[in-house]
Amino acid sequence: MKRTVYLISGPAGAGKSTTSRKIAEILEKSAYIEGDFINHMVVGGHEKPWLSETHLNLIWLNMLSLTRNYLVNDYDVIIDYYVTYSDKTNYMLEALKDFNIDIKFIVLLVDKDELLRRDSQRPVEDQMGERCIIGLNEIIASNPPERHIMNTTQTDIEQVVDDILRNPKYLLNPLS
Amino acid sequence: MKRTVYLISGPAGAGKSTTSRKIAEILEKSAYIEGDFINHMVVGGHEKPWLSETHLNLIWLNMLSLTRNYLVNDYDVIIDYYVTYSDKTNYMLEALKDFNIDIKFIVLLVDKDELLRRDSQRPVEDQMGERCIIGLNEIIASNPPERHIMNTTQTDIEQVVDDILRNPKYLLNPLS
């Protein structure tokens, strides 16, 4: 059976982890890779990935190694991370081109007010405040094609997940 | 600089994660790999690793891939998992023999009463009850050499960590 890698992107607060976990729970054989957790495996000498390209590259190398292992063992893979278009989408397309798989890329967006509302509902130590908006603006500025964007402000999670699973518009085209 | 991979084993409740995190925090460049977390990356089709050899092997393959990536990038690596002697210690020795590194193997043990006391202090949903003791007995039955065993019942965490970092007796000999 043809396997799928789902790249679930979006700013903090857009619902990446809830959505990713739901997708993983629906699929028969699935692995859910949380980029934030991979990031925090580094303890001594940890650097913020948005300040260190070396560290960011190591996170992606690790996510790629895990993805390859899961694909070889016939799992679908859901990667929940701040996937930027088109550098990281191209990195994954290139690195996984030997596998006969589909790669879907989804950018979850929510309106600014909703993003700040969700952020304010987190435990205080996890609140990001204005940094949510910076993330939102950066993702919009990276200019992902419209068909990969899903605004979830008014949409419930079941609909979001169903659309990601069924809708072929999220497929990334192979690199030519 | 010669890097070290620390394999931190022991039954649930022996202090693997606290000890591993402390070691990681002391080392200048370190990565802390929690086996339990790698285990739970699989969501759809998850099997308990003690009931499925395929699943257990996949966990080890993933921990190995991550370890290799970290070593290439010059990190010490701490693996916190139920590492059995000598199958998994040999697996790591063999798989990492191309690296000029040290591998330390430590089995943390505590007395049964203390193990049950610690278990009773966890949140109810995380309590393992008698399964702690089954784990303890299995590890003793796998017969790790005495020098790799550290009974932490009476020892405080700083001493445990210091001993693991400094004492060469925990080194695994290279496979010949």
Side-chain angles (χ1 to χ4, degrees), chain A residues 66-95:
Chain A
L66 295 171
T67 299
R68 297 183 73 98
N69 292 343
Y70 286 122
L71 289 174
V72 165
N73 283 276
D74 231 17
Y75 289 83
D76 293 310
V77 178
I78 301 100
I79 296 178
D80 156 9
Y81 202 50
Y82 187 89
V83 183
T84 48
Y85 188 80
S86 58
D87 58 339
K88 292 309 175 194
T89 49
N90 282 347
Y91 170 81
M92 291 303 273
L93 279 169
E94 175 67 26

Side-chain angles (χ1 to χ4, degrees), chain B:
Chain B
M1 202 183 117
K2 198 171 185 182
R3 290 293 169 186
T4 304
V5 173
Y6 300 84
L7 303 173
I8 310 288
S9 188
K16 291 195 295 297
S17 55
T18 315
T19 306
S20 299
R21 183 159 289 281
K22 278 264 185 209
I23 294 170
E25 285 167 359
I26 287 170
L27 296 167
E28 203 183 337
K29 279 191 80 175
S30 67
Y32 168 29
I33 300 175
E34 261 183 279
D36 270 350
F37 187 86
I38 306 290
N39 170 20
H40 286 292
M41 279 188 183
V42 170
V43 179
H46 182 265
E47 294 177 90
K48 293 186 168 62
W50 56 91
L51 298 179
S52 161
E53 202 177 341
T54 311
H55 188 67
L56 182 63
N57 289 343
L58 181 54
I59 293 170
W60 277 98
L61 175 65
N62 282 330
M63 296 202 295
L64 176 64
S65 297
L66 295 171
T67 299
R68 297 183 74 99
N69 291 344
Y70 286 122
L71 289 173
V72 165
N73 284 275
D74 232 17
Y75 288 83
D76 293 311
V77 178
I78 302 100
I79 295 178
D80 156 9
Y81 203 52
Y82 186 89
V83 183
T84 48
Y85 188 81
S86 57
D87 57 341
K88 293 307 174 196
T89 49
N90 283 346
Y91 169 81
M92 291 304 271
L93 279 168
E94 175 67 25
L96 297 173
K97 69 181 175 193
D98 297 339
F99 288 87
N100 177 32
I101 56 166
D102 286 330
I103 304 186
K104 284 187 168 184
F105 170 54
I106 298 96
V107 180
L108 299 175
L109 290 186
V110 284
D111 299 344
K112 289 185 187 187
D113 290 349
E114 174 67 7
L115 206 58
L116 291 173
R117 194 189 66 78
R118 290 183 191 179
D119 186 56
S120 70
Q121 291 182 327
R122 293 172 191 252
V124 175
E125 65 274 21
D126 294 340
Q127 288 182 19
M128 300 188 65
E130 284 297 317
R131 276 177 296 160
C132 296
I133 306 300
I134 296 173
L136 176 64
N137 291 338
E138 279 177 359
I139 286 189
I140 293 169
S142 82
N143 211 20
E146 191 63 29
R147 64 192 176 93
H148 293 289
I149 299 174
M150 184 188 288
N151 190 312
T152 65
T153 311
Q154 308 279 347
T155 319
D156 75 39
I157 179 83
E158 267 72 26
Q159 277 177 275
V160 171
V161 167
D162 192 66
D163 195 51
I164 292 172
L165 288 169
R166 293 171 189 271
N167 201 326
K169 74 173 183 171
Y170 299 113
L171 289 169
L172 284 172
N173 296 320
L175 293 176
S176 52

Side-chain angles (χ1 to χ4, degrees), chain A residues 9-166:
Chain A
S9 189
K16 290 196 295 297
S17 55
T18 314
T19 306
S20 299
R21 183 158 289 281
K22 278 266 184 205
I23 294 170
E25 285 168 358
I26 287 171
L27 296 167
E28 203 183 339
K29 280 191 81 176
S30 67
Y32 168 30
I33 301 175
E34 260 182 282
D36 270 351
F37 187 87
I38 305 291
N39 171 20
H40 286 291
M41 280 188 181
V42 170
V43 178
H46 182 265
E47 294 177 271
K48 294 186 169 61
W50 56 92
L51 298 178
S52 162
E53 200 177 344
T54 311
H55 188 66
L56 182 64
N57 289 343
L58 181 53
I59 294 171
W60 277 98
L61 175 65
N62 281 330
M63 295 203 295
L64 176 64
S65 297
L66 295 171
T67 299
R68 297 183 73 98
N69 292 343
Y70 286 122
L71 289 174
V72 165
N73 283 276
D74 231 17
Y75 289 83
D76 293 310
V77 178
I78 301 100
I79 296 178
D80 156 9
Y81 202 50
Y82 187 89
V83 183
T84 48
Y85 188 80
S86 58
D87 58 339
K88 292 309 175 194
T89 49
N90 282 347
Y91 170 81
M92 291 303 273
L93 279 169
E94 175 67 26
L96 297 173
K97 69 181 176 193
D98 298 339
F99 288 88
N100 176 32
I101 56 166
D102 286 329
I103 304 185
K104 285 187 169 183
F105 170 54
I106 298 96
V107 181
L108 300 175
L109 289 186
V110 283
D111 299 344
K112 288 185 187 186
D113 291 348
E114 174 68 8
L115 207 59
L116 291 172
R117 193 189 66 78
R118 291 184 191 176
D119 187 56
S120 70
Q121 292 183 326
R122 293 172 191 252
V124 176
E125 65 272 22
D126 294 341
Q127 288 180 18
M128 299 187 68
E130 285 296 316
R131 276 178 295 160
C132 295
I133 307 299
I134 296 172
L136 176 64
N137 291 338
E138 278 178 0
I139 286 189
I140 292 169
S142 82
N143 209 19
E146 191 63 30
R147 63 191 177 95
H148 293 288
I149 299 175
M150 185 188 289
N151 190 312
T152 65
T153 310
Q154 307 280 348
T155 318
D156 76 37
I157 178 84
E158 266 72 27
Q159 277 176 275
V160 171
V161 167
D162 193 65
D163 194 52
I164 292 173
L165 288 169
R166 291 170 190 271

